[in-house]
Amino acid sequence: MVNFQGNETVRMEAFSDGVFAIDITLLTFQLKAPSLRAATSSHSLAMALFDQWPNYIAYFVSFTTIFIIWLNHHRMYNVIQQSDSRFMFYNGLLLLLVSIVPFTTSLLADYINTPAHQLSSVLYMLLFAGISWTLLIMWNYATDNYRLLKRPAADVRIQTVRTSHLISTVTYVLAAGLSLLVPFLSILVGLAMVVYLSRLKYHREKVI
Amino acid sequence: MVNFQGNETVRMEAFSDGVFAIDITLLTFQLKAPSLRAATSSHSLAMALFDQWPNYIAYFVSFTTIFIIWLNHHRMYNVIQQSDSRFMFYNGLLLLLVSIVPFTTSLLADYINTPAHQLSSVLYMLLFAGISWTLLIMWNYATDNYRLLKRPAADVRIQTVRTSHLISTVTYVLAAGLSLLVPFLSILVGLAMVVYLSRLKYHREKVI
Amino acid sequence: MVNFQGNETVRMEAFSDGVFAIDITLLTFQLKAPSLRAATSSHSLAMALFDQWPNYIAYFVSFTTIFIIWLNHHRMYNVIQQSDSRFMFYNGLLLLLVSIVPFTTSLLADYINTPAHQLSSVLYMLLFAGISWTLLIMWNYATDNYRLLKRPAADVRIQTVRTSHLISTVTYVLAAGLSLLVPFLSILVGLAMVVYLSRLKYHREKVI
Amino acid sequence: MVNFQGNETVRMEAFSDGVFAIDITLLTFQLKAPSLRAATSSHSLAMALFDQWPNYIAYFVSFTTIFIIWLNHHRMYNVIQQSDSRFMFYNGLLLLLVSIVPFTTSLLADYINTPAHQLSSVLYMLLFAGISWTLLIMWNYATDNYRLLKRPAADVRIQTVRTSHLISTVTYVLAAGLSLLVPFLSILVGLAMVVYLSRLKYHREKVI
């Protein structure tokens, strides 16, 4: 295990921010102007746009989820001082998984309204479970023996954050299983987890 | 409401800049080489390119509008010292709306020259209204009781900026309504608002 | 004319760098795997790839040109201390024009091998002429009365840079005209200008 | 040869990071929701997704390879103090080659399962060889007479890094040749090189 220069986390954060920003923006390709052969009226265009409602929902859930994951990634790095090879590997895995979100989003949007909605929902939820699990692994590795934390680390809510990422991972896995029975459950769970993960605090005290 | 680290606005600004830069560049997909089965001459290519004029206009209006919104976002952050959870939520909403601009731009370009032009114009204007309204909400929240402002805040033109964002929001909404009657009005109003918003000053005095 | 905060050029540079980086990477869409119905052998794939040679040439010229324009944009900002509204407007115009390069590149690649090659070459060259001209305008505005320059500005090669950008603008315009008569001239001139612009020095002395 | 400002490597690194981040994210276009005319069931969707396995493999190898190249680019710049025109030229060449990775990845994914797999594998490996070779050239130029290194440079593992980049270049070239005989060898070599290059250390001692 090699330690890198002191500015290592700065560069890794900047690169990660770039990948997050691009992935969240690539979701836009989900939204496409319908190609009407005969755009006879605003009414027919409205109907065509309305038929795309799964795309809008999938876009909204994925956009907010990636935003919240970025927020948690960012808060995590706020209490981390340094990085090492293994932590960089975990970070690369996180970026790999986040980069797949536009693909599963596209799958969900295309198939949630078809008989094949179950598989698309399961894959959508399992990817989010994998991302949550990676965040959990990163946090466990960084906080184990205060390995990568800034000193003093007494005010870091190590255990609370562990529990929260464990809860979110389990919830996503359960939602994947249940979406076999209840269609659209993945959408609701996805939105609920956005709210849950947005409230996660990494510091016991207010940070100035 | 949690306060984040002091460098919170720096990271949020960098992430926002990334999303703005990518969205403004994705508009390029609006511009496509026409696929001629028989490119018999430069003349036939010129005709095919000329037929794409709605794309060029929509590209120009959207590019300049996103640029001016970025400029205002940037000027706003220049007088803001810190952030909190709610302000980050508003900022995420702004990025979500800006990311939809390439979609409404594509709608406008595809349908402004068809009988369905009314709906495409209305949606185009309403999205810009939503963006202006979000900027207004952000500014109101940040300046209420000088909540997030840098001290001394005496030279910040709080009321003028509020009024301007209110005016631009109302103008976009009115233009959405009127574009039902007057085609192409949305284009003109879009260009006028670019000029108007580019002149908005957030400081009473010159800033060195 | 308002002066902005001292860090204004830093933010403008970062946003511009983002747009440059995205535009230079979007050129990649020029390169597409050929879709063979019957990929009977590596030989037939090689033939299909060979037929795409205009795409490779157009990709190479556009990539290197955007890189060199970025380099000149960067060197220019190295000797500039501050910005104002009008300079930001010019910078926005530059980004608008650079963002159109993938479009004209696509036009050139699609039509240089057809009877319509003249128009595609003319547009390709004229866009580069417009970019050079914008760089010239920016430089003239920044250096007029040493308006935006860092002090001491004695070692800035104001006149040489003016002349060079004027020469490159005129060369691109002439090449646009001549490419009506001589096909492929635009490619050669584009490559020559990359070499020419890469050698442009903004400082009289070595900069440490 | 001109030396640039002291912050030259900072800007060049930031621009390069942007291009790396965009290229690694553009690989996502490799992953596309299959378009089923009749999505009769989750089973038929699963079959369609399974048929895309070459895309997943190619995506994984390219993503990890670009990530490792970025890591090496980053570690190299960690021991470099300054830049000059020729080093910038090499860096531009590196970015040009990395930007082509999505193209060869797309070729590999489309043809590895067809009779034309040999050519797609050869091109895929040769591009990686070219990238490794460019990294070797950059390192040789920067370390020759300690030209661009930070002082003191005694702890930089100049010779080890040279040997490693030479080994990786030769390995990619050999794999290109052998993939004419052994299909899928390129995939395995690609993964092995990711592991090999991820372990490359540029410093003799731990860096704090």
Side-chain angles (χ1 to χ4, degrees), chain B residues 143-195:
Chain B
T143 59
D144 205 32
N145 288 323
Y146 306 93
R147 191 185 277 117
L148 306 175
L149 292 187
K150 284 176 189 163
R151 301 278 181 286
D155 58 345
V156 176
R157 307 171 84 215
I158 296 179
Q159 201 52 52
T160 310
V161 173
R162 276 189 201 185
T163 311
S164 295
H165 283 307
L166 188 61
I167 288 175
S168 65
T169 306
V170 170
T171 306
Y172 281 128
V173 171
L174 287 179
L178 286 172
S179 63
L180 290 172
L181 308 172
V182 190
F184 296 97
L185 184 74
S186 55
I187 300 281
L188 292 176
V189 172
L191 288 174
M193 295 313 290
V194 166
V195 176

Side-chain angles (χ1 to χ4, degrees), chain B residues 13 17 25 34 40 42 75 207, chain C residues 4-6 11 23 111 115 119:
Chain B
E13 278 178 283
D17 279 7
T25 321
T40 48
S42 285
R75 286 174 186 170
V207 182
Chain C
F4 293 88
Q5 261 87 342
R11 296 292 309 278
D23 275 318
Y111 292 103
L119 183 60

Side-chain angles (χ1 to χ4, degrees), chain A residues 13 17 22 25 28 31-34 36 39-42 45-46 59 63 70-71 74-75 78 201 203 207-208, chain B residues 2-6 8 11-12 15 22-23 29 88 92 95-96 99 103 106 110-111 115-116 118-119 123:
Chain A
E13 279 178 282
D17 279 7
I22 299 162
T25 321
T28 308
L31 307 174
K32 280 178 190 150
L36 293 182
T40 48
S41 69
S42 285
L45 178 57
Y59 175 75
F63 190 100
W70 171 79
L71 203 58
H74 174 27
R75 287 174 186 169
N78 265 347
K201 298 175 192 175
H203 272 92
V207 182
I208 316 299
Chain B
V2 203
N3 283 336
F4 292 87
Q5 260 86 341
E8 189 72 18
R11 297 292 308 278
M12 196 69 213
F15 183 73
I22 300 163
D23 275 319
F29 288 101
M88 277 195 121
L95 296 182
L96 177 67
S99 293
F103 174 53
S106 171
D110 286 4
Y111 291 103
Q118 291 165 327
L119 183 61
L123 292 176

Side-chain angles (χ1 to χ4, degrees), chain C residues 1 3 81-82 84 86 90 138-151:
Chain C
M1 289 301 117
N3 284 337
Q81 188 178 31
Q82 53 184 6
D84 62 17
R86 187 186 288 240
Y90 290 142
M138 288 176 80
W139 184 248
N140 281 349
Y141 181 74
T143 57
D144 205 31
N145 288 322
Y146 305 93
R147 192 186 276 116
L148 307 175
L149 291 186
K150 286 177 188 162
R151 300 281 179 284

Side-chain angles (χ1 to χ4, degrees), chain B residues 13 17 22 25 28 31-34 36 39-42 46 59 63 67 70-71 74-75 78 201 203 207-208, chain C residues 2-6 8 11-12 15 22-23 29 88 92 95-96 99 103 106 110-111 115-116 118-119 123:
Chain B
E13 278 178 283
D17 279 7
I22 300 163
T25 321
T28 308
L31 307 175
K32 281 178 189 149
L36 293 184
T40 48
S41 68
S42 285
Y59 176 75
F63 190 100
F67 185 75
W70 171 77
L71 204 59
H74 174 26
R75 286 174 186 170
N78 265 348
K201 298 175 191 175
H203 272 92
V207 182
I208 317 297
Chain C
V2 203
N3 284 337
F4 293 88
Q5 261 87 342
E8 188 71 19
R11 296 292 309 278
M12 197 69 212
F15 183 73
I22 300 162
D23 275 318
F29 288 102
M88 277 195 121
L95 297 181
L96 176 67
S99 293
F103 173 54
S106 171
D110 286 5
Y111 292 103
Q118 292 166 327
L119 183 60
L123 292 176

Side-chain angles (χ1 to χ4, degrees), chain A:
Chain A
M1 286 303 116
V2 203
N3 283 338
F4 292 87
Q5 260 87 340
N7 68 338
E8 188 72 18
T9 65
V10 174
R11 297 291 310 276
M12 196 69 212
E13 279 178 282
F15 183 73
S16 304
D17 279 7
V19 173
F20 275 110
I22 299 162
D23 276 319
I24 212 171
T25 321
L26 287 187
L27 292 170
T28 308
F29 288 102
Q30 211 54 39
L31 307 174
K32 280 178 190 150
S35 56
L36 293 182
R37 285 188 194 161
T40 48
S41 69
S42 285
H43 181 74
S44 62
L45 178 57
M47 289 298 99
L49 286 172
F50 183 77
D51 284 347
Q52 293 186 338
W53 63 264
N55 289 285
Y56 310 141
I57 294 178
Y59 175 75
F60 184 74
V61 177
S62 294
F63 190 100
T64 50
T65 303
I66 292 185
F67 186 74
I68 294 302
I69 292 166
W70 171 79
L71 203 58
N72 275 277
H73 181 266
H74 174 27
R75 287 174 186 169
M76 188 183 289
Y77 271 87
N78 265 347
V79 300
I80 287 177
Q81 189 178 30
Q82 52 184 6
S83 179
D84 62 17
S85 285
R86 189 186 286 242
F87 196 70
M88 276 195 122
F89 166 79
Y90 290 142
N91 196 77
L93 177 63
L94 183 75
L95 296 182
L96 176 66
L97 294 177
V98 170
S99 293
I100 299 174
V101 171
F103 173 53
T104 58
T105 304
S106 172
L107 269 182
L108 186 77
D110 285 6
Y111 291 103
I112 198 169
N113 215 9
T114 74
H117 65 81
Q118 292 165 326
L119 182 62
S120 67
S121 297
V122 168
L123 292 177
Y124 191 64
M125 282 290 105
L126 282 186
L127 180 60
F128 286 160
I131 291 171
S132 282
W133 178 79
T134 309
L135 283 172
L136 174 62
I137 297 286
M138 287 175 82
W139 184 247
N140 281 348
Y141 181 75
T143 58
D144 205 32
N145 288 323
Y146 305 94
R147 190 186 278 116
L148 307 175
L149 291 187
K150 284 176 188 163
R151 302 279 182 283
D155 58 344
V156 176
R157 308 171 83 217
I158 295 179
Q159 200 53 52
T160 310
V161 174
R162 277 189 201 184
T163 311
S164 295
H165 283 307
L166 188 61
I167 288 175
S168 65
T169 306
V170 170
T171 306
Y172 280 128
V173 171
L174 287 178
L178 286 171
S179 64
L180 290 172
L181 308 171
V182 191
F184 296 99
L185 184 74
S186 55
I187 300 282
L188 292 175
V189 172
L191 287 174
M193 295 313 291
V194 165
V195 175
Y196 177 71
L197 287 171
S198 73
R199 306 178 76 87
L200 192 50
K201 298 175 192 175
Y202 286 67
H203 272 92
R204 215 173 298 275
E205 311 270 331
K206 275 197 179 186
V207 182
I208 316 299

